[in-house]
Amino acid sequence: MNLFAERPSALARTLRVLGVLHGSLLIAGEMIRSSGQGRPLAFVLDDVWIGGFVLIAALAFRPDRLARRAAFAAAWAANAGALYGSFFGKLLAEEGASFHSNIPDALLTALIGLAFATSIFGMVATIAMKPRR
């Protein structure tokens, strides 16, 4: 163990933990939501893909290097982009719209909104972190 190795900042550690939680919960939530609903595989795998991207980027971000930070910020951005349509599509859905979900509509919308806000926060915080020397 190198005692003089760079320790990640508190923000970097927090973002890594948030990324692991976010990615894992996004994948698990999609599996719960879609189980037995007959949803098209593409609509299930997109959340697995973007959740996995954040999860892998968070785990790879241990040494804070420019390429890893860029990948982590890109993973958060991809999540924000994918969750944008899902959140606003549910928030502004026409009355009587069916979400094909095992999760009640209002709760699902709130959870997706929280994931959307978290991904925006993660992206901005990762980009705004002071560079390591």
Side-chain angles (χ1 to χ4, degrees), residues 31-85:
M31 294 299 119
I32 292 168
R33 172 189 179 190
S34 298
S35 179
Q37 294 296 311
R39 294 183 72 224
L41 187 59
F43 295 137
V44 176
L45 292 180
D46 70 336
D47 285 343
V48 172
W49 171 253
I50 64 169
F53 187 21
V54 167
L55 181 61
I56 291 167
L59 294 172
F61 187 54
R62 173 63 175 97
D64 184 2
R65 304 288 182 256
L66 182 60
R68 291 172 187 237
R69 184 182 291 210
F72 198 30
W76 284 120
N79 267 255
L83 291 166
Y84 175 88

Side-chain angles (χ1 to χ4, degrees), residues 2-57:
N2 183 355
L3 296 176
F4 301 105
E6 286 183 15
R7 285 184 40 98
S9 69
L11 178 58
R13 288 190 307 269
T14 301
L15 285 171
R16 285 186 72 227
V17 169
L18 187 62
V20 168
L21 288 173
H22 178 85
S24 300
L25 290 173
L26 192 61
I27 293 167
E30 183 60 35
M31 294 299 119
I32 292 168
R33 172 189 179 190
S34 298
S35 179
Q37 294 296 311
R39 294 183 72 224
L41 187 59
F43 295 137
V44 176
L45 292 180
D46 70 336
D47 285 343
V48 172
W49 171 253
I50 64 169
F53 187 21
V54 167
L55 181 61
I56 291 167

Side-chain angles (χ1 to χ4, degrees), residues 104-130:
D105 297 351
L107 177 59
L108 179 63
T109 303
L111 290 172
I112 293 171
L114 178 62
F116 176 58
T118 301
S119 63
I120 291 172
F121 169 78
M123 177 189 64
V124 170
T126 301
I127 292 168
M129 270 193 312
K130 293 184 184 202

